[in-house]
Each structure stands twice: as structure tokens, then as C-alpha cells.
Amino acid sequence: MNLVILLEGDAAGGGCYRLTDYRAEHIRTILRAREGDRVEVGLLNGSLGTAQISSLSDDEVELTCEVLHSPQGLPTTDLVCALPRPQTLKKVLITCGMMGIRHLYLIRANRVEKSYYQSPLTQPENQLPFLIEGLSQGKLTRLPQVTVHDRFKVFFEDTFPRVESTESGTGCKLLASIDALQNMSDLFDASIDRVTIAIGPEGGWVPFEIDLMTQAGFQPFVLGRWVLRVETAIVSALGQLDLLRMSS
Amino acid sequence: MNLVILLEGDAAGGGCYRLTDYRAEHIRTILRAREGDRVEVGLLNGSLGTAQISSLSDDEVELTCEVLHSPQGLPTTDLVCALPRPQTLKKVLITCGMMGIRHLYLIRANRVEKSYYQSPLTQPENQLPFLIEGLSQGKLTRLPQVTVHDRFKVFFEDTFPRVESTESGTGCKLLASIDALQNMSDLFDASIDRVTIAIGPEGGWVPFEIDLMTQAGFQPFVLGRWVLRVETAIVSALGQLDLLRMSS
């Protein structure tokens, strides 16, 4: 936990925040902090800053915010991901928090098992702890938006274009595909801020899906020489995007 | 399991291999294969190819190798990693198998807890299942070499230079550091095949360590804008390296 994320419900007035859950435990036992010590904090969807530990007991840690910087800007990377198995989804949610995803679209695909849609993890309240774990690690405060979509064709022909039409200008849309001829640096355009990356299910997209996504403006790119797991492919793709953005 | 890795001990003569462990279980229950079906196989440190299932029972799967291609070349990426906690090390070992690492050096650093050296995972026989899991996922057959080193200074001043002196030419040595001014594309040299990437412990390297590694020829690079976990930093760095190699 590089950053203690503070929620509205923790606020006790006057810049004070009371923590009684795993965050209090972490501050006591992992950080081994004492009264008067300072920790880095972030207000969910708000500012980063520091807080002083004003009191600390076995049940509760009280923090008083001292310095708060201006809120972080909204991230500009969206992720479209074939709904993975629940264990993988946990890792994907943490990564989205940690690596600055704005919107995670979890979609249906041919090789997505229907049972995954029954997972409690498709519910926002169950996603929140993993997203916050990622924010704490990556030192970010902007909570990624997560939506679940159960019709592939409707998503690409209707839902996603509708979201796009509300944005200023067209973003860059990329689709990881093992058979692609180009890589991300061939397709990256530094003049376009907003990037959406689509990552397929274990076993990959089927040809019909790649055709339909290509028609929807997604450009196939090859991620690398190896066959990666979903959660690994996402990290690798976001790492590559970050390199291209830093280099431009 | 995208590839069934076959070991010497599985060989039953005449191109036949008998499996009785989790691989047999995987072929039966996940791949739902039957007699006569074909699976992709890889001989550990050898060829990739296909095998036909010659018999299949609850206890045993027998495979007969049909086509074997020439062995894969030796990978050219080495990884120096501050010895992580055992749960993280498992993920690092899988990644090394999956993303084509030649040699993983697990080293001591100031922020490495001494207790990590007592973990059974520092022993080769306990690393093997995770490395093979990675190879199976990445469709690779070359087993990464893993060595454990308990003295930081000795490693960079003696051990690593001695290994380097046996190589043809100097490789490119990179050191992930949050304070670095350059990124991997500033430092990457497409004319140099061999690349070593060093990834620090949770909490990062201490200044003394960065100084000593810099003197040993490691060039600091910034991985991205976020604070990543060790296992995530490794995937992100290997993804970036793969992009630069594909683009050159």
C-alpha cells in the first residue's frame, strides 16, 4: 500500500478520517506507524497528499489531512476485455487501478464461458476492493469505471460508438491479435490522447469477432512473440503504450 | 496449457511419452481430448511439435510424438531481480518461463527481507513446476536458468562481470528506477542482442545500490508513470523490450 485511499464514508469532519478496516491494520502492522507519523493519502477521485496519524489504537486509526495537491487528471486509456474467469478478473481489476485505466469494458466473446456472468465479481460493490487495491499500489486516485456487456455485436455496433460520439474527436482503437502484422508502435499516434486497447479471452478472438471489431475501427496489433495470459497481456500492452507515450 | 512440456523422465522409447501427473489430468479434463486426438508438445530444452494421444485412461495418458521442429534458439534476455517474497517469486518464475528469460539472477538488496532466503522456493526443484507452467503458457521449451545470490556487492563486482566475460561482446544492461530520466527506448540499441534488465525490491533500490549498479554498467531507465508491483514491473519491462525489438 503505497497510498492510503480515503473514502467519503471515512470522513469525520475537519479534515479528519477514521479508518477501522484493513487500512488501519496495514498502517499499524505493516507500516508500523505511530501517532504523529505521516502517511501518503489519496482521496478517492480526488487529491493526493499527506496525512498525520492523530490517534492510533487496536480498533481505529485517525488521520488528519495536512497537504492536498490538486486532483489528478482523468486517465486517457480505456480497456475492452473479454470477461475473464473470476480469479483473473481480480488481477485485471487491480491492474486497472494500478495502471491508470479510465473505463474497463468487460464484454462477451465466443470463448467467454457463460458461467462467468454469474460471478459476484460482475457487481460493482465486489469490484471496488480490487480497484482500490490497485490505486493504492499505483498511487492513483481516479476510480476506473467498470461496465459489463453481454452482447458482443451490440457492444461494438451500438454501445461503444455511442460512448465515442460523446468524446471530442476519435480515439485510437487497438486490438491485440496474435496474427496481426503490425505492432503498437506502427499504429500509435502521439497526437491522439485517448487510446482503447482490446484484449481477447483465453484462446483468443474468433475470426468473426476480429472482422467485426476491425469494421468498428479497431486496428489489430501483435503484442509480442509469446502467448500470454490475459492478465499478463494487459500489463504488457499498457507497458508498451506507456513507453510510446513517454517517447513521443 | 498451450503446450504440453515433455520431460526426459516421461520417455517410454520409440517417441512415446507416458504422463501420469497434472498434465494427464489437464489433457483429460480441460482439453477433453480422446484417443487419436493431437496436442501440441514441447521437449524440455528441445523441439516443439505435435503428438497423438495413443492411449488414455484415468491413470495415464500416452503420447506418440509425430512432428518435431528444430529446437528454439536460446533466448537473449536475462533478468536480475531482488529476491521477492515467495508468493511473488512464484509469479516471477512463471513469467520467466512464459516470456523467454534465459537466466534469472535472484539477488540480495537492502530492502530484501532475510527470511526470503529460507524459502523452499530458492531451491531449483521447487522452482521447476512454476518455470514449466510458464513455458506451457508461452509455448516455449527453453528452461530459464535460475541462480540465487546473497551478496549484492559481490554479485555486481565479481559474479556478473565473470559471466559477462564469457559472452561475445557486451550486452545492454538496464536498471528500472523511478527517478531515471531516460526510458527504455532512449537506451535500447538494436545492434545488441543480449539485454539484462534489473528490477528492484518492493520499496525500490537504495541510492548506494543504484550507484554501484551504475558503476557496473547498468543504465537507469524509467518504466512508466506508476508505481508497479515487482511482478507487474517485470511484465511491463519485458513487454517494452519486445516492442523495441519488434520495431527495430
Side-chain angles (χ1 to χ4, degrees):
Chain A
M1 199 186 288
N2 295 310
L3 191 71
V4 179
I5 297 285
L6 303 176
L7 313 179
E8 268 184 32
D10 305 320
C16 269
Y17 289 80
R18 292 208 188 101
L19 311 181
T20 55
D21 58 8
Y22 68 96
R23 294 166 296 171
E25 176 81 11
H26 183 91
I27 289 169
R28 267 199 316 272
T29 61
I30 310 286
L31 301 183
R32 292 184 195 124
R34 298 176 183 204
E35 272 180 34
D37 286 353
R38 284 174 177 80
V39 292
E40 290 188 68
V41 296
L43 308 183
L44 190 64
N45 289 320
S47 308
L48 280 180
T50 56
Q52 194 176 36
I53 298 174
S54 33
S55 78
L56 184 143
S57 71
D58 283 355
D59 304 324
E60 189 183 275
V61 170
E62 190 182 83
L63 300 171
T64 307
C65 284
E66 293 184 324
V67 183
L68 288 177
H69 308 289
S70 53
Q72 297 176 330
L74 203 59
T76 53
T77 309
D78 294 339
L79 191 63
V80 174
C81 182
L83 183 66
R85 73 185 71 223
Q87 280 309 316
T88 301
L89 180 51
K90 289 180 186 172
K91 297 173 191 165
V92 171
L93 292 168
I94 293 171
T95 296
C96 287
M98 178 168 51
M99 296 184 81
I101 293 299
R102 183 182 65 163
H103 193 147
L104 167 65
Y105 301 92
L106 295 166
I107 66 165
R108 183 62 154 274
N110 189 275
R111 292 192 177 124
V112 168
E113 284 192 29
K114 283 185 188 169
S115 64
Y116 298 169
Y117 277 84
Q118 312 307 322
S119 162
L121 270 183
T122 57
Q123 303 303 316
E125 66 272 23
N126 298 321
Q127 295 161 356
L128 192 62
F130 298 100
L131 294 169
I132 288 183
E133 185 179 336
L135 295 175
S136 285
Q137 169 65 42
K139 292 193 168 189
L140 296 171
T141 65
R142 287 278 184 186
L143 191 69
Q145 187 181 353
V146 182
T147 50
V148 182
H149 307 268
D150 66 355
R151 293 172 68 193
F152 183 89
K153 203 157 176 279
V154 169
F155 178 78
F156 284 102
E157 292 188 343
D158 184 33
T159 314
F160 194 79
R162 206 137 31 85
V163 173
E164 268 201 306
S165 70
T166 66
E167 307 269 0
S168 57
T170 308
C172 173
K173 289 170 283 185
L174 302 172
L175 151 66
S177 164
I178 200 121
D179 303 317
L181 301 174
Q182 295 178 293
N183 61 55
M184 201 189 283
S185 76
D186 298 323
L187 301 169
F188 178 74
D189 181 344
S191 71
I192 298 175
D193 272 350
R194 199 155 34 78
V195 176
T196 304
I197 296 176
I199 300 284
E202 298 287 340
W205 308 103
V206 297
F208 158 82
E209 291 166 344
I210 293 193
D211 288 349
L212 199 141
M213 293 166 81
T214 309
Q215 282 164 35
F218 280 77
Q219 304 176 83
F221 75 99
V222 63
L223 194 52
R225 292 169 289 167
W226 309 292
V227 185
L228 301 182
R229 290 183 177 166
V230 168
E231 66 269 32
T232 315
I234 290 171
V235 172
S236 179
L238 295 177
Q240 292 184 354
L241 178 59
D242 219 29
L243 178 65
L244 292 169
R245 281 176 167 161
M246 287 189 294
S247 308
S248 66
Chain B
M1 197 186 290
N2 295 310
L3 190 71
V4 179
I5 296 285
L6 303 176
L7 314 178
E8 268 184 33
D10 305 320
C16 269
Y17 289 80
R18 290 207 189 102
L19 311 180
T20 54
D21 58 9
Y22 69 96
R23 293 166 296 171
E25 176 81 11
H26 184 90
I27 289 170
R28 266 200 316 271
T29 62
I30 309 287
L31 302 183
R32 291 182 197 127
R34 299 180 182 200
E35 273 181 34
D37 285 354
R38 284 175 177 80
V39 292
E40 290 187 69
V41 295
L43 307 184
L44 190 63
N45 289 319
S47 309
L48 280 179
T50 56
Q52 193 175 36
I53 298 173
S54 33
S55 77
L56 183 144
S57 71
D58 283 355
D59 305 324
E60 188 183 277
V61 171
E62 191 182 85
L63 299 172
T64 307
C65 285
E66 294 184 325
V67 182
L68 288 177
H69 309 290
S70 53
Q72 297 176 331
L74 203 59
T76 53
T77 310
D78 295 338
L79 190 64
V80 175
C81 182
L83 183 66
R85 74 186 69 222
Q87 280 308 318
T88 301
L89 181 51
K90 289 180 187 172
K91 297 172 191 165
V92 171
L93 292 168
I94 293 172
T95 297
C96 287
M98 179 168 51
M99 296 184 80
I101 293 299
R102 185 182 63 164
H103 194 147
L104 168 66
Y105 302 92
L106 295 166
I107 66 164
R108 184 62 156 273
N110 189 276
R111 292 190 177 127
V112 167
E113 285 193 28
K114 282 184 189 171
S115 65
Y116 298 168
Y117 277 85
Q118 312 307 321
S119 162
L121 270 183
T122 57
Q123 302 303 317
E125 65 272 23
N126 298 321
Q127 295 161 355
L128 192 62
F130 299 99
L131 294 169
I132 289 182
E133 185 179 337
L135 295 175
S136 285
Q137 169 65 42
K139 291 194 169 188
L140 297 170
T141 65
R142 286 280 186 185
L143 190 70
Q145 187 180 354
V146 182
T147 50
V148 182
H149 307 268
D150 68 354
R151 293 171 69 192
F152 183 89
K153 203 157 176 279
V154 169
F155 177 78
F156 284 102
E157 291 187 342
D158 183 33
T159 314
F160 193 80
R162 206 138 29 86
V163 173
E164 269 200 305
S165 70
T166 65
E167 308 268 1
S168 56
T170 308
C172 173
K173 289 170 282 185
L174 303 171
L175 152 64
S177 165
I178 200 118
D179 303 317
L181 301 174
Q182 295 178 293
N183 61 53
M184 201 189 284
S185 75
D186 298 323
L187 301 170
F188 178 75
D189 180 343
S191 71
I192 297 175
D193 272 349
R194 199 155 33 79
V195 176
T196 304
I197 296 177
I199 301 284
E202 299 287 340
W205 307 105
V206 298
F208 157 81
E209 290 166 344
I210 294 192
D211 287 350
L212 198 141
M213 293 166 80
T214 309
Q215 283 164 36
F218 281 77
Q219 303 176 82
F221 75 101
V222 63
L223 194 52
R225 292 169 290 167
W226 308 292
V227 185
L228 301 182
R229 291 184 176 165
V230 169
E231 66 269 31
T232 315
I234 290 171
V235 171
S236 180
L238 294 177
Q240 292 184 354
L241 178 59
D242 218 29
L243 178 65
L244 292 169
R245 282 177 166 161
M246 287 189 294
S247 308
S248 64

